[in-house]
Amino acid sequence: MARKRKRIGVTGRLTLRERMAKWSPEAKGAGLLLVAAALTGIAAHRASGFVHADPGLAFSAGQVDVQGLPAWLDPESTAALRTASAGLGRIHVLDRAPLRRLREYYLANEWVASVERLEYAVPGAEGGGGITGRLRLRDPMCLVGLRAGEYYFADTEGRRLGGVLTALPPPDLRLPVIQWAKYVPPRGEAWGGRKEFARADEPVLHGFYVAALLTQAGLRESLPHWVARIDVRNVGRNDWSEVELVTEPGHAVRLQWGRTARSELVHGRVQEAPVSEKIDRLRRILAGERLCRSGEEVLLFERGGVGGDRGP
């Protein structure tokens, strides 16, 4: 006597085979796709296990380097960016944790504005492998000089970038140096950010105001002459000119800016002329339209006048 097969399932319910027999062709197809997807997922998981076990897809990060850093970057920042791979050890291409750590390391550096790309280069038949990526660095607006042979980059937010420079960067950068600073904040911090140094920082903030105007007005680009120094030693004194600009070496014309909009805000001393007027006169001098002798002192305003322009 033939023995009946025992149906496995819940009493009173259809088995999987019986249910599939009642499905429409479309439903059967959907069921097969689900099964195929599940099997594919299992296969991918197993393949991932095989790949992780493949020593040919691992490499040492000891030689990871940042290429194309500007030659004028301060030595301390250059060294920090180029040694970012220290401690990463041996890396497998499917392990994303080292990339996350590397991204965090770069973003902690005040020079790095963003990490636009960071990925592995898969080792080839001849070995190799590495990390490729793209970093976007901040643009310095000017330099701040504490004393001769000690300069620091600053960005448009008045933040110190990097370590100390013992010599000025190439003149083709056309970065003005704010002279006579009394204090330098830790790297990554801005001048004027600490109340206890507010008095010492005030002259530098006036220099930032003028440096920002030079950038906004395009006076650092494609002109025969450029502003090399911003002298702020008279800021805070009741002088007719608190800020003096000096053009590049070999030209060295002294340009009296006068008072700044910040001086009007902080000290209540009204500017001698509208900012737009000062910029227009400065542009003519830097463009060579008004010839000036080296060492000559030129006012960027009519002395005794009072302007109403409060700056940009």
Side-chain angles (χ1 to χ4, degrees):
M1 181 177 177
R3 187 175 181 181
K4 292 184 178 180
R5 289 188 177 180
K6 186 177 181 180
R7 186 174 67 180
I8 301 175
V10 180
T11 305
R13 296 184 183 180
L14 297 176
T15 64
L16 177 60
R17 184 183 298 275
E18 290 169 337
R19 288 181 184 178
M20 292 184 65
K22 294 180 177 292
W23 285 348
S24 65
E26 293 81 5
K28 290 181 180 179
L32 292 175
L33 287 176
L34 289 174
V35 173
L39 291 177
T40 303
I42 294 173
H45 176 73
R46 290 180 177 175
S48 174
F50 286 125
V51 171
H52 269 294
D54 186 354
L57 294 179
F59 62 93
S60 173
Q63 300 301 319
V64 176
D65 193 4
V66 177
Q67 304 292 331
L69 289 175
W72 45 260
L73 204 64
D74 61 283
E76 185 179 336
S77 297
T78 299
L81 290 172
R82 285 185 171 167
T83 58
S85 62
L88 289 180
R90 191 158 182 82
I91 294 175
H92 197 282
V93 294
L94 293 184
D95 184 2
R96 311 300 291 180
L99 289 182
R100 289 193 295 270
R101 294 199 301 270
L102 201 55
R103 179 182 296 273
E104 292 171 357
Y105 179 90
Y106 287 135
L107 291 177
N109 189 299
E110 70 277 4
W111 271 109
V112 179
S114 64
V115 179
E116 297 185 352
R117 182 173 57 84
L118 204 59
E119 58 192 17
Y120 294 135
V122 179
E126 299 179 357
I131 297 176
T132 64
R134 184 179 180 87
L135 307 178
R136 186 169 66 86
L137 302 184
R138 301 183 192 279
D139 290 325
M141 178 181 69
C142 61
L143 292 151
V144 177
L146 190 63
R147 58 182 64 89
E150 186 174 347
Y151 308 98
Y152 301 87
F153 287 108
D155 65 4
T156 55
E157 298 177 8
R159 173 173 43 202
R160 174 187 159 186
L161 299 176
V164 64
L165 285 172
T166 56
L168 292 175
D172 56 356
L173 287 180
R174 296 196 166 195
L175 292 176
V177 180
I178 298 175
Q179 294 183 308
W180 300 98
K182 299 176 182 178
Y183 164 76
V184 176
R187 54 184 302 165
E189 289 190 18
W191 277 265
R194 299 190 180 191
K195 291 183 179 180
E196 62 268 32
F197 297 109
R199 187 178 183 87
D201 285 344
E202 187 60 30
V204 177
L205 299 182
H206 286 254
F208 285 154
Y209 169 83
V210 176
L213 284 175
L214 298 178
T215 300
Q216 294 169 12
L219 298 182
R220 288 174 46 196
E221 306 169 0
S222 304
L223 293 174
H225 305 291
W226 54 284
V227 174
R229 290 183 284 155
I230 302 176
D231 190 327
V232 295
R233 78 181 86 182
N234 286 333
V235 168
R237 302 176 183 177
N238 193 17
D239 292 350
W240 57 272
S241 181
E242 292 183 320
V243 177
E244 178 181 271
L245 313 181
V246 183
T247 55
E248 77 278 5
H251 192 233
V253 176
R254 297 168 55 203
L255 306 168
Q256 299 300 330
W257 179 271
R259 300 186 183 119
T260 68
R262 182 172 179 86
S263 181
E264 187 172 347
L265 177 67
V266 176
H267 303 292
R269 298 166 186 159
V270 181
Q271 295 184 91
E272 303 86 349
V275 171
S276 55
E277 182 180 312
K278 294 180 181 181
I279 288 292
D280 185 59
R281 293 184 179 186
L282 179 58
R283 187 186 302 277
R284 291 201 301 270
I285 293 172
L286 297 182
E289 297 175 9
R290 176 180 174 181
L291 299 179
C292 300
R293 300 183 306 274
S294 179
E296 183 179 350
E297 183 177 7
V298 180
L299 301 185
L300 298 177
F301 54 88
E302 296 294 339
R303 193 168 182 178
V306 176
D309 190 342
R310 294 180 180 271

